[in-house]
Amino acid sequence: MTKQAGFWNVDVRLAGISPGGDPLEALTATVDFEWFRPILVRAAGSTRSPKGGRPSLDVELKFRMLVLQSIRRQPRRGRSR
């Protein structure tokens, strides 16, 4: 019987993803996302709410998520979904 990976075994899970071609690692090695930060901050405007609450996500993190979503939606050549 194989042991199920625990929720906190992040290193084990990341080691399993990396050999298969982790798209986030490839993006981070290719694109300097910090270069986009001033543009993203200006476009996002004020993120503070007068009512309080949970702080919003970092604009660079949001941008990375959008880029990854757009990559995942594109069909890969030679591979059908």
Side-chain angles (χ1 to χ4, degrees):
M1 175 186 273
T2 60
K3 186 175 180 182
Q4 183 177 355
F7 183 74
W8 301 108
N9 295 343
V10 176
D11 296 332
V12 174
R13 291 173 186 251
L14 289 177
I17 293 173
S18 292
D22 182 13
L24 185 57
E25 285 180 353
L27 265 177
T28 303
T30 307
V31 179
D32 179 21
F33 284 100
E34 277 296 321
W35 189 84
F36 294 99
R37 183 176 292 282
I39 299 165
L40 296 169
V41 168
R42 273 196 317 261
S46 177
T47 58
R48 288 287 185 183
S49 171
K51 294 182 179 180
R54 183 183 63 82
S56 63
L57 294 172
D58 181 48
V59 290
E60 183 184 332
L61 177 63
K62 289 180 187 178
F63 184 58
R64 285 179 191 234
M65 288 190 282
L66 288 172
V67 170
L68 281 173
Q69 283 178 348
S70 67
I71 288 172
R72 295 295 297 166
R73 288 185 185 142
Q74 293 177 355
R76 295 186 183 113
R77 283 189 256 161
R79 189 175 181 192
S80 61
R81 284 192 159 194

